[in-house]
Amino acid sequence: QVQLVESGGGLVQAGGSLRLSCTGSGRAFSPYAMGWFRQAPGKERVFVAVTRSTDGGAYYADSVKGRFTISRDNAKNTVYLQMNSLQPEDTAVYYCAAPDRISGNYYRVMEHEYDYWGQGTQVTVSS
């Protein structure tokens, strides 16, 4: 079955950086978009970034644009989220997600567009 496993979370001071990884198994992920979402304490899970399969193009939430970079290594079935200039408001559990449908050039930004989710990795940014 399809599984996604995130890693790389931790505690970092404001202004610091972390790189999250998400490795998939159970199928090849290269034909599919891959996304990152996050859920802060007491809040709903929200979109962070997505990379599409066709050209590796990326789309970001306004809150992380210019600070976060999503990338993928299809040979390793892995997607990354490089997070720079982290702020306390970035504190959340970060989830990677994959859809069951090929979307071409379309950027999937809604939760319901994804079928598989990792268990999440905690990112805590101290002030």
Side-chain angles (χ1 to χ4, degrees):
Q1 79 256 30
V2 175
Q3 286 189 322
L4 300 172
V5 179
E6 302 99 335
S7 62
L11 173 64
V12 64
Q13 289 188 331
S17 299
L18 282 174
R19 188 175 85 152
L20 306 183
S21 300
C22 171
T23 299
S25 60
R27 72 168 192 199
F29 285 83
S30 57
Y32 302 89
M34 296 290 292
W36 285 96
F37 289 72
R38 68 185 182 186
Q39 186 168 20
K43 297 188 177 180
E44 293 185 349
R45 189 157 56 183
V46 297
F47 166 77
V48 174
V50 59
T51 176
R52 61 189 182 192
S53 61
T54 51
D55 58 359
Y59 183 78
Y60 300 91
D62 287 344
S63 58
V64 307
K65 203 173 296 183
R67 300 187 298 124
F68 290 13
T69 302
I70 188 171
S71 61
R72 63 195 296 164
D73 184 337
N74 289 330
K76 296 181 178 180
N77 252 10
T78 298
V79 63
Y80 304 97
L81 187 67
Q82 177 66 44
M83 305 185 296
N84 299 328
S85 301
L86 283 161
Q87 300 300 316
E89 53 266 34
D90 295 315
T91 294
V93 177
Y94 284 72
Y95 299 90
C96 71
D100 216 9
R101 293 141 288 171
I102 295 173
S103 51
N105 289 326
Y106 171 70
Y107 286 121
R108 296 182 182 272
V109 301
M110 306 297 289
E111 267 195 84
H112 67 79
E113 295 179 301
Y114 290 84
D115 302 284
Y116 305 104
W117 294 83
Q119 82 288 351
T121 186
Q122 176 71 48
V123 171
T124 303
V125 185
S126 63
S127 57

